[in-house]
Amino acid sequence: MATREDLLAAAAALGTPLYVYDIDAVRARLARLREAFGSQFGISFAIKSNPNLALLRSLAPLVDTFDVSAFAEVERAIAAGCEAERITFCGPGKRAEEVRRAVRLGIGYLVVESLHEARLADRFAGELGCRQIVLLRINPATSPRAFGVNMSGKPSQFGIDEEEMEAAIDAVAALPHLDLVGFHIYSGSNSLSVEGLAENFVILSDIFRRAVAHCGQSPRKLIFGAGFGVPYLPSDEELDLAALADQVLPGIAALRAEAAFAGARLELELGRWLVGPCGWLLSSIIGAKASRGTEIRICDAGFNNHLAAYGMMGSVIRRNWRIANLSNPSGETGRYTVVGPLCTTIDTLATKLELPVATIGDVISIENSGAYGLTSSPTRFISHPEPREALLEGGRLTDASESLLNHWRLADN
Ligand SMILES: Cc1ncc(COP(=O)(O)O)c(C=O)c1O
């Protein structure tokens, strides 16, 4: 894992705000995942969690599939060296033109989320004189209790309701230019609960059994939307992968023992668990003041740079993330309210945060920022310079910035 010295050197070389992604750490997490789940599951990386092109280039040879949610993500996946056959294309609101382009490209698996989308794909495949492989996304009627973000068990735009899946399977299977070869479920996200995730695998396996029985055809691919969480808060504990695998694998072995599932390729579809803990947002303290008894530190990254860390993405109440003072890692501490540079009171990163004494010029790190960081942030708001991005690999730092939005260009000014 990147050390304090690595991160400080990165900040000194490229300035702040700066996202740093440690590729060796991503590789190590992938190895842990494969060790825990053995050969039972392929691994799909949901590139919405971090679409940085250099990161994708490193990941393309390491994972089995890239999962995309927009045609521009298809283009990123291809540019990163992932073949079209290794791409699954999800998303509840695919534009007709996106569906047409995906079919024309020969995308590996189009994940259809509605009958309208299936009919569109069928029409385009017919016009283009080809066939399109599809997975049908099913939205479960029940969801595990312990999911951070629930996408099932309620009215939802995602996939076909489980209650209607049989009719949908019949309708898709009847379309002449589509090959329905499997099913996709993604029911929730960011769960740190072994029991909740294990329950999800049971729910998904049962739905897949019923879908396959109705279809009367052995599936080629089944995607288990897993939603493995990461410990964002200091009080959170890392997901116990070995305990999860112990609970899940017997059920998966039983599924595989059924003739209909013997040839199915099962896949875990993950974003944040793979890359979240391997990234940091580095930010410099650019202002310090005491206001009515509160010590305030103003840093150069606001919610415009990291919406999630500022509590505005997927959380009801903002809580302090794991934050460190890299420049002064130990010794006497203070309690700080840490804010960003934006002209709004909601630009608050942390309150009552205990840190070793923090002064102007110090570099702080926001941990667990490798997923849903820059990609999920409103960087145009107030036109501050967009953070750079960098990869750390084999001790080498590479500038992986794709956009220098709002970086100053006026010469000699
Ligand atoms: C369909 C689908 N797959 C995968 C993911 C990745 O989720 P996470 O990054 O929490 O693993 C998401 C996240 O919303 C999703 O909607």
Side-chain angles (χ1 to χ4, degrees):
M1 204 56 123
T3 63
R4 184 175 77 85
E5 289 73 22
D6 291 332
L7 297 177
L8 279 172
L14 293 171
T16 60
L18 172 68
Y19 276 94
V20 178
Y21 312 124
D22 181 340
I23 298 299
D24 299 319
V26 175
R27 218 176 252 121
R29 286 182 82 76
L30 261 167
R32 271 178 60 200
L33 194 62
R34 292 206 194 268
E35 193 188 319
F37 286 92
S39 54
Q40 295 293 359
F41 287 97
I43 307 224
S44 173
F45 177 57
I47 79 175
K48 66 165 80 68
S49 62
N50 192 331
N52 179 275
L53 208 47
L55 179 111
L56 295 182
R57 276 198 197 98
S58 299
L59 273 174
L62 303 178
V63 298
D64 302 288
T65 302
F66 273 166
D67 177 60
V68 308
S69 303
F71 195 77
E73 286 194 347
V74 174
E75 292 185 322
R76 281 182 171 266
I78 299 283
C82 178
E83 306 77 16
E85 310 84 70
R86 288 203 291 139
I87 300 176
T88 55
F89 187 1
C90 272
K94 300 180 195 76
R95 291 164 170 82
E97 183 57 16
E98 292 183 292
V99 174
R100 192 184 69 79
R101 282 173 186 256
V103 171
R104 195 177 58 177
L105 185 70
I107 197 121
Y109 299 87
L110 186 71
V111 181
V112 293
E113 305 220 11
S114 67
L115 290 183
H116 166 68
E117 208 174 272
R119 290 185 190 114
L120 271 180
D122 181 62
R123 194 185 94 210
F124 292 134
E127 286 169 9
L128 291 160
C130 61
R131 302 189 64 74
Q132 178 59 49
I133 292 174
V134 298
L135 304 178
L136 182 66
R137 180 168 180 180
I138 301 166
N139 193 282
T142 49
S143 71
R145 279 149 288 156
F147 266 22
V149 179
N150 256 320
M151 295 158 101
S152 56
K154 57 187 179 187
S156 145
Q157 69 270 51
F158 305 111
I160 302 282
D161 287 349
E162 181 189 342
E163 299 86 325
E164 287 162 22
M165 80 177 172
E166 283 85 0
I169 291 170
D170 292 343
V172 175
L175 292 170
H177 304 104
L178 300 188
D179 292 320
L180 175 62
V181 304
F183 300 95
H184 174 288
I185 304 181
Y186 190 88
S187 42
S189 190
N190 197 25
S191 176
L192 288 170
S193 156
V194 167
E195 284 65 35
L197 286 165
E199 187 187 343
N200 193 44
F201 279 87
V202 172
I203 294 172
L204 270 49
S205 298
D206 286 348
I207 296 173
F208 288 146
R209 273 192 183 92
R210 283 189 11 244
V212 166
H214 184 81
C215 214
Q217 191 186 312
S218 294
R220 202 185 300 170
K221 191 168 181 117
L222 297 172
I223 298 186
F224 285 73
F228 295 0
V230 299
Y232 289 114
L233 309 180
S235 55
D236 286 342
E237 279 188 30
E238 172 104 32
L239 177 65
D240 186 342
L241 213 53
L244 178 63
D246 279 352
Q247 289 205 25
V248 167
L249 288 181
I252 295 300
L255 186 76
R256 279 196 179 285
E258 297 169 27
F261 291 91
R265 180 158 184 83
L266 314 185
E267 223 162 55
L268 297 175
E269 192 170 279
L270 297 169
R272 86 182 68 227
W273 189 90
L274 285 174
V275 295
C278 309
W280 296 260
L281 174 59
L282 308 181
S283 181
S284 296
I285 296 178
I286 54 173
K289 61 171 71 161
S291 171
R292 305 198 169 100
T294 296
E295 283 293 332
I296 297 177
R297 296 296 176 266
I298 302 167
C299 56
D300 59 8
F303 74 75
N304 55 334
N305 293 169
H306 199 337
L307 201 66
Y310 277 76
M312 284 178 243
M313 195 184 154
S315 37
V316 182
I317 306 167
R318 192 205 58 72
R319 295 202 182 90
N320 297 350
W321 279 30
R322 294 169 189 248
I323 296 168
N325 183 352
L326 298 179
S327 304
N328 183 24
S330 57
E332 193 192 332
T333 62
R335 273 199 186 273
Y336 302 102
T337 290
V338 183
V339 301
L342 308 179
C343 314
T344 157
T345 51
I346 58 173
D347 197 28
T348 301
L349 174 65
T351 50
K352 296 185 184 156
L353 177 70
E354 185 166 6
L355 276 185
V357 169
T359 52
I360 290 178
D362 285 356
V363 176
I364 63 166
S365 66
I366 304 169
E367 297 179 18
N368 282 311
S369 297
Y372 307 106
L374 186 55
T375 185
S376 311
S377 301
T379 52
R380 293 193 170 199
F381 183 53
I382 310 203
S383 302
H384 283 285
E386 189 169 272
R388 284 179 183 266
E389 296 175 279
L391 298 193
L392 252 181
E393 192 166 12
R396 231 188 38 250
L397 182 77
T398 318
D399 187 353
S401 309
E402 291 178 29
S403 153
L404 294 180
L405 182 71
N406 299 328
H407 281 238
W408 309 316
R409 289 188 196 85
L410 288 178
D412 305 323
N413 183 276

